[in-house]
Amino acid sequence: MSTATVPATSPRARSRRLTATEAELKGQWWRFAVLLLVTAITIIPIAAVLYLSTQPALGSQVTAPFTLENFANVFAGTNVLLWLQNSMVVTLITVAIAVAVAAPAGYVLSRGRSKLVGGYSLLLFVIQSLPIVTAVIPLFILFARLNLVDSLTGVTIVYVGSTMSVAIWMMAAYYDSIPISLEEAGWMDGVSVFGGFVRIVLRNSLPGVLSTAIFAFLLAWNDYLIATVFLRSDYNYTLPVGVQTFFQQNSTNWGLVMAVAVVMMLPPIIVFGVLNKYFSVGGIGGSLAGK
């Protein structure tokens, strides 16, 4: 028996196509609703912080619905600018050292194929799997003997150490996406191994370098646990630790707290906004297209 085929222009075929299109649109609406919900959950706390930071503070004589009084009080009557400076110094040094060490170390991890490199890779995996809280107390005892407690230098050392393993893994993972044929072409032209790394691999690894730098930046900028354990004096506080000084036992001036929170949010937003346009992998494709 032969089965009759339905013409593509028949009403039944058009009905089937409309049903498939409706099902596809329905699936897209569900995905859109989920993404909208996740976005709202992420944005609402930020919007609440911005809103509360512009409301009159406790005991304020201001009656306007919008005011920058909290920011004026924070900058004029507290050490927020000093804490901001401390956070910037610690964070920038952490980023510089993490990128400078992770870039060549990740290259060795990506291109090396020896047992020593494999053991080093396994060691990094074990280190990064351990929570930092397990090392805080031993490090505090060690740093107390070295006079590094209540010191920005000591905090920076801990940040660099806690960032390094993940930073190396991130750089190695990005180097794996760069074909080794590019380096081999450079070697045939007389470029050394180090020259090939700098001129070819590192030159095409800007997105990986920036991702590693942003990771180190956020870890050092947002850290509270390490800073609150190692920093004791108000002069050496970073911003996350400084915020806790606004919390009192019986009352809290939430306007000032939210103003400091806005100050904390601005540097990461500015950094990501400036560097976002450099997150592109088109350079690798262009390098291969010329071969």
Side-chain angles (χ1 to χ4, degrees), residues 123-131 162 164-167 169-170:
L123 178 62
L124 284 180
F125 178 80
V126 172
I127 291 176
Q128 78 175 38
S129 64
L130 296 175
S162 60
M164 197 59 62
S165 58
V166 181
W169 271 91
M170 291 177 66

Side-chain angles (χ1 to χ4, degrees), residues 5-18:
T5 59
V6 179
T9 57
S10 66
R12 184 183 301 177
R14 289 197 298 269
S15 176
R16 290 177 180 176
R17 288 198 299 269
L18 289 175

Side-chain angles (χ1 to χ4, degrees), residues 40-255:
I41 294 175
T42 305
I43 293 179
I44 287 176
I46 300 177
V49 170
L50 294 174
Y51 173 76
L52 293 175
S53 66
T54 58
Q55 298 304 298
L58 291 176
S60 174
Q61 303 298 324
V62 178
T63 58
F66 177 87
T67 178
L68 297 178
E69 179 188 25
N70 293 320
F71 294 94
N73 293 336
V74 161
F75 288 118
T78 67
N79 290 328
V80 164
L81 289 177
L82 178 60
W83 301 336
L84 177 63
Q85 176 183 332
N86 293 339
S87 292
M88 289 300 300
V89 170
V90 169
T91 300
L92 293 180
I93 294 177
T94 300
V95 170
I97 297 177
V99 172
V101 176
Y107 178 76
V108 174
L109 203 65
S110 174
R111 297 295 191 256
R113 292 295 182 269
S114 64
K115 293 183 178 180
L116 181 61
V117 174
Y120 176 68
S121 175
L122 179 62
L123 178 62
L124 284 180
F125 178 80
V126 172
I127 291 176
Q128 78 175 38
S129 64
L130 296 175
I132 187 62
V133 68
T134 59
V136 168
I137 302 303
L139 285 175
F140 182 85
I141 297 174
L142 175 63
F143 282 23
R145 297 179 180 179
L146 299 175
N147 294 324
L148 290 176
V149 174
D150 196 20
S151 167
L152 296 179
T153 302
V155 172
T156 304
I157 293 174
V158 179
Y159 288 161
V160 171
S162 60
T163 305
M164 197 59 62
S165 58
V166 181
I168 293 175
W169 271 91
M170 291 177 66
M171 292 303 303
Y174 194 86
Y175 291 153
D176 288 340
S177 66
I178 300 178
I180 196 173
S181 58
L182 294 177
E183 297 170 75
E184 293 174 346
W187 297 339
M188 293 179 64
D189 292 336
V191 178
S192 63
V193 175
F194 180 77
F197 163 68
V198 174
R199 299 180 184 180
I200 300 174
V201 178
L202 197 59
R203 185 176 180 180
N204 288 295
S205 301
L206 181 60
V209 172
L210 294 180
S211 299
T212 304
I214 289 178
F215 165 77
F217 182 93
L218 293 178
L219 185 144
W221 183 263
N222 295 323
D223 173 74
Y224 173 78
L225 174 63
I226 296 173
T228 195
V229 170
F230 285 88
L231 300 178
R232 300 297 183 181
S233 61
D234 184 84
Y235 181 81
N236 289 324
Y237 281 169
T238 55
L239 270 177
V241 183
V243 172
Q244 74 173 357
T245 61
F246 292 94
F247 293 91
Q248 301 177 3
Q249 183 175 2
N250 298 322
S251 63
T252 299
N253 192 331
W254 289 105

